[in-house]
C-alpha cells in the first residue's frame, strides 16, 4: 500500500524543473547498478542529483516514485511493502531520499534488492546512520560520496564555462601554466573570495540574502536532529557542541588542545572524542590525524571546520589561518589522505608536504623536505614550489 499523499508528493516533486548544472558525481555513477547509495552533507545536492537522473531516465511517470523518508506519512510504513506495491504496479525506479530516517533501512534495502527487479537509488544526509548499516549492504549496494561544491564547480556555475579538473601531480608540476590558462576565462581570486563566503552548497543559488540563515539551519538540523537523535547525545551537550564549532572558527588550530576542548564541552576527552567523530560523520568538521613518522606521536588531532562557508555563520571574525587550512583540507580530503605534519602543516598521501600561508610566506620551514610546497593565499600565479591556494579547488 502506497498512501495517496506520497504518490501526490512524488508527482509534484518529479514535475519540478531541475537545474541544468550537474555535479561531477553524476558522470561517475554507474546507473546500471540495481542498488545505488549517495551519501553526503545536508544541502550538498543529493536530492537534485536523484531528480536529475529521474528526468534523464525517460521513463513513464508511473514507473518512477520519489519518497522523502522523513515525510510524516512514512511513520510506521514498511519500506519493503511500499517497494512491493510499486513493483507490482509496474514501477522501475524507486528514489529514496533521507534513507537514514527509516529504522533498520539496510534490512529493507537488502530484501528489496534480492526480491524485485527494481532499481533503487537512496540518499542519506551525511554518513551518520548510513555508516552504521552499510556493512550489511556492502555486497549489494554501490555507495558514492558527494562532497560540497569544489571551487572548480562553483566557477562553472557562476560563469557558465567548463573548467577541467586537475590531478594533484599535474597541478604541482604545471601550476603556473595552468593558472595562466584559467585566467583567460575567469578572475580566479575574485571567484575564490566569493567561494569562501557562499560557494560550498548549491542552494546559494536560491537566494544569497537567505544563504546564511539556510546554512545555519543545516548546522542546527545536523546537530539537533541527526547527531542527537541517532547517537542519543544528551540535550545538555548539544549547545556545547555548537560552542565547540565556534572555537574552531575563531581560534588558531595550533592553540587548540585536549584540555581546552574538554573544558569547553564539560566532558572527558574520551567522550569528547566520540562527539568529534560524530560531528565529522555529520560533515561539520574535519579531524586531521597525524601521519606516519610524526615525532610527537601523542599530539592531539588537528580539528578544522568542514568547509569555509561555515565560518560565515559561526563567528564574526574568522581566524585567517583556520580559514586557509579549512579550504585546503576540504578540497583535498575527497580524493586524498590528508594528515598533519610536524614540519609543514599537512602531508598528503604521505608523499607531499604542504605549508599553508599568505603570499609572503617563505619556504624556510620546509627546508630539507623533499616534495614540499607552500600553498599561498592572495596569489594568482605561483612559481616553483610556491602554489596559489585557490588552485587546490580545481581537483574535483
Amino acid at each position: 500500500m502506497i498512501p495517496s499523499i506520497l504518490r501526490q508528493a512524488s508527482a509534484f516533486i518529479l514535475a519540478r524543473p531541475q537545474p541544468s548544472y550537474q555535479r561531477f558525481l553524476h558522470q561517475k555513477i554507474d546507473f546500471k547498478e540495481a542498488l545505488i547509495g549517495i551519501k553526503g552533507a545536508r544541502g550538498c545536492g543529493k536530492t537534485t542529483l536523484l531528480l536529475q537522473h529521474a528526468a534523464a531516465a525517460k521513463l513513464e511517470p508511473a514507473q518512477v516514485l520519489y519518497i522523502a523518508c522523513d515525510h510524516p506519512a512514512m511513520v510506521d510504513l514498511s519500506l519493503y511493502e511500499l517497494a512491493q506495491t510499486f513493483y507490482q504496479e509496474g514501477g522501475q525506479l524507486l528514489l529514496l531520499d533521507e534513507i537514514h530516517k527509516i529504522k533498520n533501512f539496510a534490512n529493507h534495502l537488502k530484501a528489496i534488492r534480492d526480491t524485485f527487479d527494481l532499481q533503487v537509488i537512496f540518499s542519506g544526509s551525511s554518513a551518520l546512520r548510513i555508516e552504521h548499516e552499510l556493512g550489511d549492504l556492502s555486497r549489494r549496494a554501490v555507495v558514492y560520496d558527494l562532497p560540497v561544491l569544489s571551487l572548480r564547480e562553483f566557477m562553472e556555475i557562476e560563469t557558465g564555462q567548463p573548467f577541467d579538473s586537475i590531478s594533484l601531480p599535474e597541478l604541482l608540476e604545471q601550476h603556473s601554466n595552468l593558472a595562466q590558462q584559467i585566467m583567460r576565462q575567469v578572475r580566479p581570486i575574485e571567484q575564490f573570495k566569493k567561494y569562501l563566503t557562499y560557494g560550498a552548497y548549491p542552494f546559494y543559488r536560491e537566494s544569497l540574502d537567505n544563504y546564511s540563515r539556510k546554512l545555519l539551519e543545516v548546522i542546527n538540523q545536523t546537530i539537533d536532529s541527526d547527531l542527537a537523535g541517532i547517537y542519543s547525545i544528551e540535550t545538555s551537550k548539544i549547545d556545547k557542541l555548537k560552542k565547540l564549532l565556534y572555537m574552531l572558527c575563531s581560534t588558531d588550530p595550533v592553540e587548540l588542545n585536549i584540555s581546552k576542548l574538554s573544558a569547553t564541552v564539560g566532558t572527558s576527552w574520551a567522550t569528547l572524542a566520540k562527539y568529534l567523530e560524530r560531528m565529522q560523520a555529520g560533515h561539520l568538521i574535519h579531524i586531521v590525524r597525524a601521519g606516519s613518522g610524526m615525532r610527537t606521536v601523542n599530539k592531539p588531532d588537528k580539528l578544522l571546520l568542514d568547509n569555509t562557508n561555515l565560518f560565515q555563520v559561526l563567528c564574526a571574525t574568522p581566524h585567517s589561518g583556520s580559514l586557509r587550512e579549512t579550504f585546503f583540507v576540504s578540497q583535498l580530503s575527497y580524493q586524498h589522505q590528508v594528515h598533519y605534519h610536524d614540519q609543514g602543516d599537512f602531508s598528503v598521501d604521505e608523499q607531499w608536504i604542504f605549508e599553508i600561508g599568505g603570499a609572503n610566506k617563505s619556504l624556510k620551514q620546509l627546508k630539507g623536505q623533499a616534495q614540499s610546497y607552500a600553498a599561498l593565499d592572495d596569489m594568482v600565479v605561483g612559481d616553483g614550489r610556491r602554489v596559489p591556494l585557490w588552485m587546490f579547488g580545481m581537483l574535483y
Side-chain angles (χ1 to χ4, degrees), residues 378-395:
D378 297 317
M379 173 182 283
V380 186
V381 181
D383 58 89
R385 293 189 295 145
R386 294 162 50 84
V387 186
L389 180 60
W390 68 264
M391 292 202 70
F392 293 93
M394 307 299 293
L395 297 176

Side-chain angles (χ1 to χ4, degrees), residues 46-47 50 66-70 95-99 122-123:
K46 300 181 302 301
T47 300
L50 295 182
Y66 169 88
I67 298 292
C69 295
D70 56 355
L95 306 174
L96 301 172
D97 213 357
E98 302 296 289
I99 190 69
F122 64 91
S123 79

Side-chain angles (χ1 to χ4, degrees), residues 204-377:
Y204 85 85
R205 303 182 73 190
E206 298 169 7
S207 169
L208 282 182
D209 290 339
N210 293 323
Y211 182 70
S212 294
R213 180 181 58 80
K214 291 180 179 180
L215 184 51
L216 195 58
E217 288 177 3
V218 166
I219 296 170
N220 288 331
Q221 287 180 357
T222 300
I223 294 178
D224 298 340
S225 176
D226 297 340
L227 286 170
I230 292 171
Y231 294 108
S232 301
I233 297 175
E234 299 172 34
T235 305
S236 61
K237 301 298 183 187
I238 296 300
D239 287 340
K240 302 287 182 67
L241 295 184
K242 294 176 182 178
K243 186 174 181 181
L244 176 60
L245 290 178
Y246 172 78
M247 286 186 67
L248 298 183
C249 176
S250 58
T251 309
D252 186 331
V254 175
E255 296 177 9
L256 294 173
N257 56 56
I258 290 175
S259 60
K260 181 181 287 190
L261 292 171
S262 297
T264 297
V265 181
T267 187
S268 68
W269 172 248
T271 301
L272 178 58
K274 293 178 183 177
Y275 290 167
L276 293 173
E277 291 283 356
R278 291 158 188 173
M279 291 174 75
Q280 178 168 254
H283 292 271
L284 293 176
I285 68 172
H286 281 291
I287 301 174
V288 186
R289 306 192 188 283
S292 63
M294 283 285 292
R295 289 197 297 266
T296 314
V297 294
N298 292 324
K299 188 176 180 181
D301 301 321
K302 180 177 279 191
L303 304 174
L304 298 167
L305 292 179
D306 181 80
N307 64 78
T308 60
N309 289 187
L310 299 178
F311 285 78
Q312 310 309 316
V313 296
L314 290 172
C315 58
T317 54
H319 187 275
S320 59
S322 294
L323 193 65
R324 291 164 178 160
E325 292 190 9
T326 293
F327 174 78
F328 181 85
V329 172
S330 72
Q331 302 294 288
L332 272 88
S333 59
Y334 177 67
Q335 295 173 305
H336 299 275
Q337 292 292 320
V338 181
H339 299 94
Y340 69 80
H341 195 268
D342 60 349
Q343 190 162 346
D345 286 315
F346 301 104
S347 68
V348 176
D349 297 339
E350 297 192 356
Q351 181 176 353
W352 300 282
I353 300 170
F354 293 92
E355 180 75 6
I356 318 298
N360 296 323
K361 194 172 190 70
S362 72
L363 296 170
K364 184 192 305 183
Q365 191 166 339
L366 300 173
K367 185 177 180 180
Q369 292 288 340
Q371 301 256 57
S372 60
Y373 300 84
L376 304 179
D377 199 3

Side-chain angles (χ1 to χ4, degrees), residues 44-56:
C44 70
K46 300 181 302 301
T47 300
T48 297
L49 195 154
L50 295 182
L51 298 176
Q52 286 174 330
H53 172 65

